[in-house]
Amino acid sequence: LTYERDLDNKNVGIYDLISVSCNNANYIYSFSGNSNINKFEILRRNVYVSADDKESTYSESLKSLSYTVQGTTQNEGLFGTDTLIGDVACDTEENYAGSYVITIGTLTNENNPNYNIIFTNGTYVIKQIEVTITPNNIVLEYGDDPQDLTYEISPLDAVLSTDSLEGELYVADKENVGIYPIEQGTLNNEDGRNRNYKIIFITTSTYTINIRQLVVLPEEVHIVYGEEYTINYTIVEGSLINDDILLGKLGHSGGNSKNVGEYKVTIGTLNSENPNYNVTLANNNIGFSITKRPLTITARDVEQEYGANGKPLSYDITSGNLVYNDTLSGVLRRTNGYAVGVYTIYQGKCFFAIIFIEFLSFWADSWNDALHTQGVSSWAKRRISYFKKEILRLRLRMTRAQ
């Protein structure tokens, strides 16, 4: 059988056959062009289309979109000189930086009735503009008003005149003395901020608050050993900020010593307990003296019989008191003698060396009496006299030292 159709109709569709001829002599063949089964159908031709990937930088004009049609084979691809109708499309959200899908747009089968378009999406990337942020260093003195954090942009024209960067720098402390790093804070690309700019942050900048200078003038202090004290002072240079008060207290050159002596007032703990201030003394020669604490000691009367062992000597503190858990060292003395009589109890000495000198002095007095005793040679008298003088000289030196 030979079928004949209308050659003027080449587009996709179903068409009637014009005629059918049969070259078989054994059969009689009848044909009706209006029969539903005697049709000729032209099917859509497959064509493979891929969107071309594109790339540009924010602030640049968008590039034209394009696509590529796969090569033609016997049954696929564009036929002859045909071209596709329509364009691919891409929604770039007002040209913001980001990655966007290039879609089929109007390059549809509806606009190309002879073809079945098999489409592969493309990608349009709008790159961010790189911006380097360098915070400005800030140096203040404690008590100065805090300063706003500012920064420099590099390159200078990186941010479009119609744009501004979103977010703020951050520093941990704007009040107390210290060197604090200036941090990026919210001036970043998080949470959708600054989506058109790739922020490169320089981390070497600092916010410095220097210590505030104060000069104080102490008052002289004179106390008795054991008394509590406060060294008062006046601020003569500089000033305290807001409601600040100085913690700590002045000290003296003896450190923690509470002993009797002449000292000089020192800065004490005023610096260590006030980190926002550097406190110095207007005068380093202010006196601080601790004098002896007066005590009255009354010896207790003692009685004993002639020939009995000596009783210990004791006393009562009848005026004043001991402090700091102190105890008195040393012993009481009485005048020498063992015969019946009344002897005076006296203070004695508190140190072994002094007691030893007193002991030697007693014997020197005895030897002095021997100078006038009959039968002592002149050589012995000279040695005794010399020995007594040396003892008295040593006693005088120890007394001064005490």
Side-chain angles (χ1 to χ4, degrees):
L1 292 176
T2 300
Y3 297 87
E4 184 181 356
R5 68 177 180 86
D6 184 359
L7 296 180
D8 292 334
N9 293 313
K10 299 179 181 180
N11 294 325
V12 169
I14 299 175
Y15 301 98
D16 293 333
L17 295 175
I18 297 174
S19 64
V20 177
S21 60
C22 180
N23 58 1
N24 193 325
N26 296 320
Y27 294 92
I28 296 174
Y29 186 83
S30 63
F31 171 75
S32 174
N34 294 323
S35 172
N36 287 333
I37 62 173
N38 296 319
K39 302 293 182 180
F40 184 87
E41 182 177 2
I42 301 177
L43 300 175
R44 288 177 179 266
R45 186 179 179 90
N46 287 339
V47 59
Y48 292 90
V49 178
S50 299
D52 297 330
D53 291 336
K54 300 292 181 179
E55 183 179 273
S56 61
T57 300
Y58 175 71
S59 78
E60 292 179 349
S61 299
L62 294 178
K63 295 180 179 179
S64 299
L65 300 178
S66 60
Y67 57 87
T68 299
V69 179
Q70 199 174 77
T72 301
T73 64
Q74 182 178 359
N75 297 317
E76 294 180 338
L78 293 175
F79 181 75
T81 58
D82 283 358
T83 58
L84 296 177
I85 299 172
D87 296 300
V88 293
C90 183
D91 182 6
T92 57
E93 297 183 39
E94 300 182 4
N95 301 346
Y96 287 158
S99 180
Y100 303 94
V101 178
I102 302 175
T103 62
I104 196 169
T106 58
L107 196 67
T108 60
N109 288 348
E110 287 77 9
N111 291 331
N112 298 277
N114 290 328
Y115 293 96
N116 178 40
I117 298 176
I118 301 170
F119 186 79
T120 302
N121 293 333
T123 302
Y124 197 119
V125 176
I126 301 178
K127 298 187 296 182
Q128 295 173 316
I129 299 175
E130 287 192 356
V131 177
T132 299
I133 301 296
T134 304
N136 294 314
N137 291 313
I138 295 176
V139 179
L140 303 174
E141 184 181 84
Y142 175 72
D144 292 346
D145 292 333
Q147 289 191 13
D148 294 332
L149 302 177
T150 59
Y151 54 86
E152 301 294 332
I153 295 175
S154 178
L156 292 176
D157 58 351
V159 179
L160 302 185
S161 60
T162 54
D163 291 347
S164 60
L165 296 180
E166 181 183 357
E168 296 180 351
L169 299 175
Y170 172 79
V171 67
D173 194 333
K174 287 187 175 182
E175 295 182 0
N176 296 308
V177 168
I179 300 176
Y180 305 97
I182 299 177
E183 302 175 32
Q184 189 168 0
T186 57
L187 190 63
N188 52 35
N189 294 119
E190 297 177 7
D191 301 325
R193 288 186 292 270
N194 307 302
R195 60 178 296 185
N196 294 322
Y197 299 92
K198 180 181 179 180
I199 296 179
I200 301 170
F201 186 75
I202 305 300
T203 61
T204 56
S205 301
T206 57
Y207 191 105
T208 301
I209 303 176
N210 289 324
I211 200 164
R212 191 174 185 86
Q213 303 296 322
L214 284 182
V215 179
V216 299
L217 180 62
E219 297 178 0
E220 285 194 354
V221 176
H222 304 283
I223 63 170
V224 173
Y225 174 73
E227 289 182 345
E228 296 295 329
Y229 68 90
T230 298
I231 306 176
N232 296 319
Y233 58 86
T234 304
I235 297 175
V236 294
E237 291 184 27
S239 60
L240 295 174
I241 297 302
N242 299 326
D243 297 325
D244 284 357
I245 57 173
L246 289 181
L247 303 177
K249 59 184 181 180
L250 295 173
H252 62 75
S253 55
N256 294 323
S257 175
K258 300 176 181 179
N259 294 329
V260 170
E262 294 292 332
Y263 306 100
K264 300 295 182 184
V265 174
T266 62
I267 202 64
T269 59
L270 283 190
N271 272 333
S272 60
E273 296 195 22
N274 298 282
N276 291 327
Y277 296 92
N278 179 42
V279 186
T280 56
L281 298 178
N283 186 342
N284 292 315
N285 293 308
I286 301 298
F288 182 101
S289 63
I290 303 176
T291 57
K292 291 184 177 182
R293 189 176 188 86
L295 284 180
T296 300
I297 294 175
T298 302
R300 296 172 183 170
D301 292 336
V302 177
E303 290 185 1
Q304 72 177 57
E305 290 184 354
Y306 173 75
N309 292 330
K311 293 183 178 180
L313 303 179
S314 60
Y315 59 88
D316 295 308
I317 298 175
T318 55
S319 176
N321 62 292
L322 296 174
V323 293
Y324 308 133
N325 296 319
D326 286 351
T327 58
L328 293 178
S329 60
V331 294
L332 296 177
R333 293 286 187 178
R334 71 174 181 85
T335 54
N336 294 318
Y338 297 98
V340 173
V342 178
Y343 298 89
T344 301
I345 299 174
Y346 59 94
Q347 185 173 351
K349 301 296 178 182
C350 295
F351 302 98
F352 175 76
I354 302 301
I355 295 170
F356 180 67
I357 294 301
E358 287 294 322
F359 175 76
L360 293 179
S361 181
F362 164 75
W363 284 107
D365 290 338
S366 299
W367 291 334
N368 187 53
D369 294 338
L371 292 176
H372 306 287
T373 303
Q374 297 295 324
V376 178
S377 68
S378 60
W379 179 85
K381 290 181 179 181
R382 287 196 301 271
R383 298 304 296 169
I384 292 173
S385 177
Y386 170 79
F387 186 49
K388 180 183 178 183
K389 290 179 181 178
E390 289 301 312
I391 291 175
L392 293 177
R393 184 179 302 151
L394 182 58
R395 182 180 184 184
L396 177 61
R397 290 175 60 189
M398 293 300 293
T399 301
R400 289 176 177 170
Q402 183 187 23

mmCIF file with all atom_site columns, all heavy atoms in Angstrom, residues 216-221 229-235 249-250 265 270 281 286 288:
data_model
loop_
_atom_site.group_PDB
_atom_site.id
_atom_site.type_symbol
_atom_site.label_atom_id
_atom_site.label_alt_id
_atom_site.label_comp_id
_atom_site.label_asym_id
_atom_site.label_entity_id
_atom_site.label_seq_id
_atom_site.pdbx_PDB_ins_code
_atom_site.Cartn_x
_atom_site.Cartn_y
_atom_site.Cartn_z
_atom_site.occupancy
_atom_site.B_iso_or_equiv
_atom_site.pdbx_formal_charge
_atom_site.auth_seq_id
_atom_site.auth_comp_id
_atom_site.auth_asym_id
_atom_site.auth_atom_id
_atom_site.pdbx_PDB_model_num
ATOM 1   N N   . VAL A 1 216 ? 47.712 62.584 96.619  1.00 0.00 ? 216 VAL A N   1
ATOM 2   C CA  . VAL A 1 216 ? 47.115 62.813 97.936  1.00 0.00 ? 216 VAL A CA  1
ATOM 3   C C   . VAL A 1 216 ? 48.188 63.318 98.897  1.00 0.00 ? 216 VAL A C   1
ATOM 4   O O   . VAL A 1 216 ? 49.369 62.976 98.772  1.00 0.00 ? 216 VAL A O   1
ATOM 5   C CB  . VAL A 1 216 ? 46.460 61.535 98.488  1.00 0.00 ? 216 VAL A CB  1
ATOM 6   C CG1 . VAL A 1 216 ? 45.352 61.061 97.578  1.00 0.00 ? 216 VAL A CG1 1
ATOM 7   C CG2 . VAL A 1 216 ? 47.493 60.431 98.697  1.00 0.00 ? 216 VAL A CG2 1
ATOM 8   N N   . LEU A 1 217 ? 47.742 64.118 99.847  1.00 0.00 ? 217 LEU A N   1
ATOM 9   C CA  . LEU A 1 217 ? 48.649 64.643 100.879 1.00 0.00 ? 217 LEU A CA  1
ATOM 10  C C   . LEU A 1 217 ? 48.210 64.065 102.224 1.00 0.00 ? 217 LEU A C   1
ATOM 11  O O   . LEU A 1 217 ? 47.148 64.410 102.745 1.00 0.00 ? 217 LEU A O   1
ATOM 12  C CB  . LEU A 1 217 ? 48.595 66.168 100.918 1.00 0.00 ? 217 LEU A CB  1
ATOM 13  C CG  . LEU A 1 217 ? 49.499 66.830 101.967 1.00 0.00 ? 217 LEU A CG  1
ATOM 14  C CD1 . LEU A 1 217 ? 50.963 66.509 101.690 1.00 0.00 ? 217 LEU A CD1 1
ATOM 15  C CD2 . LEU A 1 217 ? 49.268 68.341 101.993 1.00 0.00 ? 217 LEU A CD2 1
ATOM 16  N N   . PRO A 1 218 ? 49.030 63.169 102.823 1.00 0.00 ? 218 PRO A N   1
ATOM 17  C CA  . PRO A 1 218 ? 48.647 62.564 104.110 1.00 0.00 ? 218 PRO A CA  1
ATOM 18  C C   . PRO A 1 218 ? 48.857 63.543 105.270 1.00 0.00 ? 218 PRO A C   1
ATOM 19  O O   . PRO A 1 218 ? 49.622 64.505 105.178 1.00 0.00 ? 218 PRO A O   1
ATOM 20  C CB  . PRO A 1 218 ? 49.595 61.366 104.237 1.00 0.00 ? 218 PRO A CB  1
ATOM 21  C CG  . PRO A 1 218 ? 50.287 61.242 102.914 1.00 0.00 ? 218 PRO A CG  1
ATOM 22  C CD  . PRO A 1 218 ? 50.259 62.595 102.281 1.00 0.00 ? 218 PRO A CD  1
ATOM 23  N N   . GLU A 1 219 ? 48.183 63.249 106.366 1.00 0.00 ? 219 GLU A N   1
ATOM 24  C CA  . GLU A 1 219 ? 48.417 63.962 107.614 1.00 0.00 ? 219 GLU A CA  1
ATOM 25  C C   . GLU A 1 219 ? 49.418 63.166 108.460 1.00 0.00 ? 219 GLU A C   1
ATOM 26  O O   . GLU A 1 219 ? 49.486 61.935 108.372 1.00 0.00 ? 219 GLU A O   1
ATOM 27  C CB  . GLU A 1 219 ? 47.110 64.122 108.395 1.00 0.00 ? 219 GLU A CB  1
ATOM 28  C CG  . GLU A 1 219 ? 46.070 64.957 107.666 1.00 0.00 ? 219 GLU A CG  1
ATOM 29  C CD  . GLU A 1 219 ? 44.761 65.040 108.454 1.00 0.00 ? 219 GLU A CD  1
ATOM 30  O OE1 . GLU A 1 219 ? 44.709 64.431 109.564 1.00 0.00 ? 219 GLU A OE1 1
ATOM 31  O OE2 . GLU A 1 219 ? 43.813 65.674 107.964 1.00 0.00 ? 219 GLU A OE2 1
ATOM 32  N N   . GLU A 1 220 ? 50.192 63.879 109.281 1.00 0.00 ? 220 GLU A N   1
ATOM 33  C CA  . GLU A 1 220 ? 51.108 63.189 110.189 1.00 0.00 ? 220 GLU A CA  1
ATOM 34  C C   . GLU A 1 220 ? 50.304 62.405 111.229 1.00 0.00 ? 220 GLU A C   1
ATOM 35  O O   . GLU A 1 220 ? 49.193 62.802 111.605 1.00 0.00 ? 220 GLU A O   1
ATOM 36  C CB  . GLU A 1 220 ? 52.020 64.194 110.895 1.00 0.00 ? 220 GLU A CB  1
ATOM 37  C CG  . GLU A 1 220 ? 53.117 64.745 109.999 1.00 0.00 ? 220 GLU A CG  1
ATOM 38  C CD  . GLU A 1 220 ? 54.185 65.469 110.806 1.00 0.00 ? 220 GLU A CD  1
ATOM 39  O OE1 . GLU A 1 220 ? 53.983 65.620 112.034 1.00 0.00 ? 220 GLU A OE1 1
ATOM 40  O OE2 . GLU A 1 220 ? 55.194 65.865 110.215 1.00 0.00 ? 220 GLU A OE2 1
ATOM 41  N N   . VAL A 1 221 ? 50.890 61.288 111.660 1.00 0.00 ? 221 VAL A N   1
ATOM 42  C CA  . VAL A 1 221 ? 50.217 60.437 112.636 1.00 0.00 ? 221 VAL A CA  1
ATOM 43  C C   . VAL A 1 221 ? 51.171 60.161 113.795 1.00 0.00 ? 221 VAL A C   1
ATOM 44  O O   . VAL A 1 221 ? 52.336 59.826 113.573 1.00 0.00 ? 221 VAL A O   1
ATOM 45  C CB  . VAL A 1 221 ? 49.783 59.101 111.986 1.00 0.00 ? 221 VAL A CB  1
ATOM 46  C CG1 . VAL A 1 221 ? 49.170 58.174 113.031 1.00 0.00 ? 221 VAL A CG1 1
ATOM 47  C CG2 . VAL A 1 221 ? 48.795 59.356 110.858 1.00 0.00 ? 221 VAL A CG2 1
ATOM 48  N N   . TYR A 1 229 ? 44.564 53.199 114.309 1.00 0.00 ? 229 TYR A N   1
ATOM 49  C CA  . TYR A 1 229 ? 44.828 54.477 113.644 1.00 0.00 ? 229 TYR A CA  1
ATOM 50  C C   . TYR A 1 229 ? 44.270 54.469 112.230 1.00 0.00 ? 229 TYR A C   1
ATOM 51  O O   . TYR A 1 229 ? 44.044 53.426 111.622 1.00 0.00 ? 229 TYR A O   1
ATOM 52  C CB  . TYR A 1 229 ? 46.335 54.746 113.596 1.00 0.00 ? 229 TYR A CB  1
ATOM 53  C CG  . TYR A 1 229 ? 47.089 53.793 112.692 1.00 0.00 ? 229 TYR A CG  1
ATOM 54  C CD1 . TYR A 1 229 ? 47.286 54.074 111.337 1.00 0.00 ? 229 TYR A CD1 1
ATOM 55  C CD2 . TYR A 1 229 ? 47.602 52.603 113.197 1.00 0.00 ? 229 TYR A CD2 1
ATOM 56  C CE1 . TYR A 1 229 ? 47.967 53.192 110.515 1.00 0.00 ? 229 TYR A CE1 1
ATOM 57  C CE2 . TYR A 1 229 ? 48.285 51.720 112.375 1.00 0.00 ? 229 TYR A CE2 1
ATOM 58  C CZ  . TYR A 1 229 ? 48.466 52.016 111.041 1.00 0.00 ? 229 TYR A CZ  1
ATOM 59  O OH  . TYR A 1 229 ? 49.130 51.143 110.220 1.00 0.00 ? 229 TYR A OH  1
ATOM 60  N N   . THR A 1 230 ? 44.030 55.653 111.745 1.00 0.00 ? 230 THR A N   1
ATOM 61  C CA  . THR A 1 230 ? 43.694 55.887 110.337 1.00 0.00 ? 230 THR A CA  1
ATOM 62  C C   . THR A 1 230 ? 44.530 57.059 109.864 1.00 0.00 ? 230 THR A C   1
ATOM 63  O O   . THR A 1 230 ? 44.580 58.098 110.530 1.00 0.00 ? 230 THR A O   1
ATOM 64  C CB  . THR A 1 230 ? 42.199 56.207 110.158 1.00 0.00 ? 230 THR A CB  1
ATOM 65  O OG1 . THR A 1 230 ? 41.423 55.088 110.587 1.00 0.00 ? 230 THR A OG1 1
ATOM 66  C CG2 . THR A 1 230 ? 41.885 56.497 108.692 1.00 0.00 ? 230 THR A CG2 1
ATOM 67  N N   . ILE A 1 231 ? 45.166 56.891 108.721 1.00 0.00 ? 231 ILE A N   1
ATOM 68  C CA  . ILE A 1 231 ? 45.959 57.987 108.175 1.00 0.00 ? 231 ILE A CA  1
ATOM 69  C C   . ILE A 1 231 ? 45.068 58.782 107.217 1.00 0.00 ? 231 ILE A C   1
ATOM 70  O O   . ILE A 1 231 ? 44.734 58.311 106.131 1.00 0.00 ? 231 ILE A O   1
ATOM 71  C CB  . ILE A 1 231 ? 47.208 57.462 107.440 1.00 0.00 ? 231 ILE A CB  1
ATOM 72  C CG1 . ILE A 1 231 ? 48.024 56.542 108.360 1.00 0.00 ? 231 ILE A CG1 1
ATOM 73  C CG2 . ILE A 1 231 ? 48.063 58.620 106.949 1.00 0.00 ? 231 ILE A CG2 1
ATOM 74  C CD1 . ILE A 1 231 ? 49.215 55.902 107.672 1.00 0.00 ? 231 ILE A CD1 1
ATOM 75  N N   . ASN A 1 232 ? 44.656 59.929 107.656 1.00 0.00 ? 232 ASN A N   1
ATOM 76  C CA  . ASN A 1 232 ? 43.800 60.764 106.819 1.00 0.00 ? 232 ASN A CA  1
ATOM 77  C C   . ASN A 1 232 ? 44.619 61.457 105.730 1.00 0.00 ? 232 ASN A C   1
ATOM 78  O O   . ASN A 1 232 ? 45.827 61.674 105.883 1.00 0.00 ? 232 ASN A O   1
ATOM 79  C CB  . ASN A 1 232 ? 43.086 61.812 107.670 1.00 0.00 ? 232 ASN A CB  1
ATOM 80  C CG  . ASN A 1 232 ? 42.147 61.169 108.670 1.00 0.00 ? 232 ASN A CG  1
ATOM 81  O OD1 . ASN A 1 232 ? 41.452 60.209 108.348 1.00 0.00 ? 232 ASN A OD1 1
ATOM 82  N ND2 . ASN A 1 232 ? 42.131 61.678 109.894 1.00 0.00 ? 232 ASN A ND2 1
ATOM 83  N N   . TYR A 1 233 ? 43.954 61.783 104.658 1.00 0.00 ? 233 TYR A N   1
ATOM 84  C CA  . TYR A 1 233 ? 44.640 62.438 103.539 1.00 0.00 ? 233 TYR A CA  1
ATOM 85  C C   . TYR A 1 233 ? 43.659 63.327 102.782 1.00 0.00 ? 233 TYR A C   1
ATOM 86  O O   . TYR A 1 233 ? 42.430 63.206 102.927 1.00 0.00 ? 233 TYR A O   1
ATOM 87  C CB  . TYR A 1 233 ? 45.251 61.403 102.592 1.00 0.00 ? 233 TYR A CB  1
ATOM 88  C CG  . TYR A 1 233 ? 44.245 60.432 102.016 1.00 0.00 ? 233 TYR A CG  1
ATOM 89  C CD1 . TYR A 1 233 ? 43.513 60.737 100.864 1.00 0.00 ? 233 TYR A CD1 1
ATOM 90  C CD2 . TYR A 1 233 ? 44.009 59.203 102.634 1.00 0.00 ? 233 TYR A CD2 1
ATOM 91  C CE1 . TYR A 1 233 ? 42.590 59.852 100.350 1.00 0.00 ? 233 TYR A CE1 1
ATOM 92  C CE2 . TYR A 1 233 ? 43.083 58.310 102.127 1.00 0.00 ? 233 TYR A CE2 1
ATOM 93  C CZ  . TYR A 1 233 ? 42.378 58.637 100.980 1.00 0.00 ? 233 TYR A CZ  1
ATOM 94  O OH  . TYR A 1 233 ? 41.456 57.763 100.468 1.00 0.00 ? 233 TYR A OH  1
ATOM 95  N N   . THR A 1 234 ? 44.223 64.197 101.969 1.00 0.00 ? 234 THR A N   1
ATOM 96  C CA  . THR A 1 234 ? 43.443 65.097 101.111 1.00 0.00 ? 234 THR A CA  1
ATOM 97  C C   . THR A 1 234 ? 43.912 64.923 99.676  1.00 0.00 ? 234 THR A C   1
ATOM 98  O O   . THR A 1 234 ? 45.115 64.830 99.418  1.00 0.00 ? 234 THR A O   1
ATOM 99  C CB  . THR A 1 234 ? 43.627 66.562 101.528 1.00 0.00 ? 234 THR A CB  1
ATOM 100 O OG1 . THR A 1 234 ? 43.265 66.698 102.913 1.00 0.00 ? 234 THR A OG1 1
ATOM 101 C CG2 . THR A 1 234 ? 42.767 67.485 100.681 1.00 0.00 ? 234 THR A CG2 1
ATOM 102 N N   . ILE A 1 235 ? 42.963 64.846 98.739  1.00 0.00 ? 235 ILE A N   1
ATOM 103 C CA  . ILE A 1 235 ? 43.317 64.787 97.315  1.00 0.00 ? 235 ILE A CA  1
ATOM 104 C C   . ILE A 1 235 ? 43.683 66.199 96.864  1.00 0.00 ? 235 ILE A C   1
ATOM 105 O O   . ILE A 1 235 ? 42.850 67.110 96.911  1.00 0.00 ? 235 ILE A O   1
ATOM 106 C CB  . ILE A 1 235 ? 42.155 64.239 96.476  1.00 0.00 ? 235 ILE A CB  1
ATOM 107 C CG1 . ILE A 1 235 ? 41.841 62.797 96.894  1.00 0.00 ? 235 ILE A CG1 1
ATOM 108 C CG2 . ILE A 1 235 ? 42.491 64.295 94.983  1.00 0.00 ? 235 ILE A CG2 1
ATOM 109 C CD1 . ILE A 1 235 ? 40.633 62.201 96.204  1.00 0.00 ? 235 ILE A CD1 1
ATOM 110 N N   . LYS A 1 249 ? 43.873 51.818 102.280 1.00 0.00 ? 249 LYS A N   1
ATOM 111 C CA  . LYS A 1 249 ? 44.346 52.857 103.201 1.00 0.00 ? 249 LYS A CA  1
ATOM 112 C C   . LYS A 1 249 ? 45.846 53.053 103.017 1.00 0.00 ? 249 LYS A C   1
ATOM 113 O O   . LYS A 1 249 ? 46.546 52.217 102.442 1.00 0.00 ? 249 LYS A O   1
ATOM 114 C CB  . LYS A 1 249 ? 44.039 52.464 104.645 1.00 0.00 ? 249 LYS A CB  1
ATOM 115 C CG  . LYS A 1 249 ? 44.664 51.145 105.085 1.00 0.00 ? 249 LYS A CG  1
ATOM 116 C CD  . LYS A 1 249 ? 44.230 50.786 106.497 1.00 0.00 ? 249 LYS A CD  1
ATOM 117 C CE  . LYS A 1 249 ? 44.868 49.467 106.951 1.00 0.00 ? 249 LYS A CE  1
ATOM 118 N NZ  . LYS A 1 249 ? 44.466 49.108 108.321 1.00 0.00 ? 249 LYS A NZ  1
ATOM 119 N N   . LEU A 1 250 ? 46.299 54.185 103.508 1.00 0.00 ? 250 LEU A N   1
ATOM 120 C CA  . LEU A 1 250 ? 47.735 54.458 103.516 1.00 0.00 ? 250 LEU A CA  1
ATOM 121 C C   . LEU A 1 250 ? 48.415 53.570 104.553 1.00 0.00 ? 250 LEU A C   1
ATOM 122 O O   . LEU A 1 250 ? 47.783 53.109 105.505 1.00 0.00 ? 250 LEU A O   1
ATOM 123 C CB  . LEU A 1 250 ? 47.989 55.933 103.826 1.00 0.00 ? 250 LEU A CB  1
ATOM 124 C CG  . LEU A 1 250 ? 47.477 56.946 102.787 1.00 0.00 ? 250 LEU A CG  1
ATOM 125 C CD1 . LEU A 1 250 ? 47.650 58.361 103.300 1.00 0.00 ? 250 LEU A CD1 1
ATOM 126 C CD2 . LEU A 1 250 ? 48.184 56.782 101.445 1.00 0.00 ? 250 LEU A CD2 1
ATOM 127 N N   . VAL A 1 265 ? 55.014 57.771 106.136 1.00 0.00 ? 265 VAL A N   1
ATOM 128 C CA  . VAL A 1 265 ? 53.755 57.353 105.521 1.00 0.00 ? 265 VAL A CA  1
ATOM 129 C C   . VAL A 1 265 ? 54.030 56.879 104.098 1.00 0.00 ? 265 VAL A C   1
ATOM 130 O O   . VAL A 1 265 ? 54.771 57.507 103.344 1.00 0.00 ? 265 VAL A O   1
ATOM 131 C CB  . VAL A 1 265 ? 52.740 58.508 105.512 1.00 0.00 ? 265 VAL A CB  1
ATOM 132 C CG1 . VAL A 1 265 ? 51.479 58.109 104.748 1.00 0.00 ? 265 VAL A CG1 1
ATOM 133 C CG2 . VAL A 1 265 ? 52.378 58.910 106.942 1.00 0.00 ? 265 VAL A CG2 1
ATOM 134 N N   . LEU A 1 270 ? 46.297 51.858 98.668  1.00 0.00 ? 270 LEU A N   1
ATOM 135 C CA  . LEU A 1 270 ? 45.449 52.751 97.852  1.00 0.00 ? 270 LEU A CA  1
ATOM 136 C C   . LEU A 1 270 ? 45.554 52.431 96.364  1.00 0.00 ? 270 LEU A C   1
ATOM 137 O O   . LEU A 1 270 ? 44.583 52.598 95.625  1.00 0.00 ? 270 LEU A O   1
ATOM 138 C CB  . LEU A 1 270 ? 45.838 54.218 98.085  1.00 0.00 ? 270 LEU A CB  1
ATOM 139 C CG  . LEU A 1 270 ? 45.361 54.862 99.385  1.00 0.00 ? 270 LEU A CG  1
ATOM 140 C CD1 . LEU A 1 270 ? 45.611 56.360 99.363  1.00 0.00 ? 270 LEU A CD1 1
ATOM 141 C CD2 . LEU A 1 270 ? 43.879 54.591 99.629  1.00 0.00 ? 270 LEU A CD2 1
ATOM 142 N N   . LEU A 1 281 ? 51.890 60.063 96.459  1.00 0.00 ? 281 LEU A N   1
ATOM 143 C CA  . LEU A 1 281 ? 51.940 60.976 97.599  1.00 0.00 ? 281 LEU A CA  1
ATOM 144 C C   . LEU A 1 281 ? 52.529 62.315 97.178  1.00 0.00 ? 281 LEU A C   1
ATOM 145 O O   . LEU A 1 281 ? 53.520 62.365 96.439  1.00 0.00 ? 281 LEU A O   1
ATOM 146 C CB  . LEU A 1 281 ? 52.781 60.379 98.723  1.00 0.00 ? 281 LEU A CB  1
ATOM 147 C CG  . LEU A 1 281 ? 52.286 59.056 99.333  1.00 0.00 ? 281 LEU A CG  1
ATOM 148 C CD1 . LEU A 1 281 ? 53.259 58.590 100.401 1.00 0.00 ? 281 LEU A CD1 1
ATOM 149 C CD2 . LEU A 1 281 ? 50.886 59.212 99.912  1.00 0.00 ? 281 LEU A CD2 1
ATOM 150 N N   . ILE A 1 286 ? 56.200 62.429 105.147 1.00 0.00 ? 286 ILE A N   1
ATOM 151 C CA  . ILE A 1 286 ? 55.230 62.641 106.221 1.00 0.00 ? 286 ILE A CA  1
ATOM 152 C C   . ILE A 1 286 ? 55.488 61.605 107.315 1.00 0.00 ? 286 ILE A C   1
ATOM 153 O O   . ILE A 1 286 ? 55.589 60.408 107.057 1.00 0.00 ? 286 ILE A O   1
ATOM 154 C CB  . ILE A 1 286 ? 53.795 62.518 105.696 1.00 0.00 ? 286 ILE A CB  1
ATOM 155 C CG1 . ILE A 1 286 ? 53.549 63.543 104.573 1.00 0.00 ? 286 ILE A CG1 1
ATOM 156 C CG2 . ILE A 1 286 ? 52.784 62.706 106.816 1.00 0.00 ? 286 ILE A CG2 1
ATOM 157 C CD1 . ILE A 1 286 ? 53.691 64.971 105.005 1.00 0.00 ? 286 ILE A CD1 1
ATOM 158 N N   . PHE A 1 288 ? 55.211 59.173 110.665 1.00 0.00 ? 288 PHE A N   1
ATOM 159 C CA  . PHE A 1 288 ? 54.286 58.267 111.336 1.00 0.00 ? 288 PHE A CA  1
ATOM 160 C C   . PHE A 1 288 ? 55.058 57.681 112.512 1.00 0.00 ? 288 PHE A C   1
ATOM 161 O O   . PHE A 1 288 ? 56.025 56.946 112.327 1.00 0.00 ? 288 PHE A O   1
ATOM 162 C CB  . PHE A 1 288 ? 53.840 57.148 110.386 1.00 0.00 ? 288 PHE A CB  1
ATOM 163 C CG  . PHE A 1 288 ? 52.847 56.193 110.988 1.00 0.00 ? 288 PHE A CG  1
ATOM 164 C CD1 . PHE A 1 288 ? 51.505 56.318 110.693 1.00 0.00 ? 288 PHE A CD1 1
ATOM 165 C CD2 . PHE A 1 288 ? 53.241 55.182 111.842 1.00 0.00 ? 288 PHE A CD2 1
ATOM 166 C CE1 . PHE A 1 288 ? 50.569 55.437 111.234 1.00 0.00 ? 288 PHE A CE1 1
ATOM 167 C CE2 . PHE A 1 288 ? 52.332 54.301 112.405 1.00 0.00 ? 288 PHE A CE2 1
ATOM 168 C CZ  . PHE A 1 288 ? 50.986 54.433 112.091 1.00 0.00 ? 288 PHE A CZ  1
#
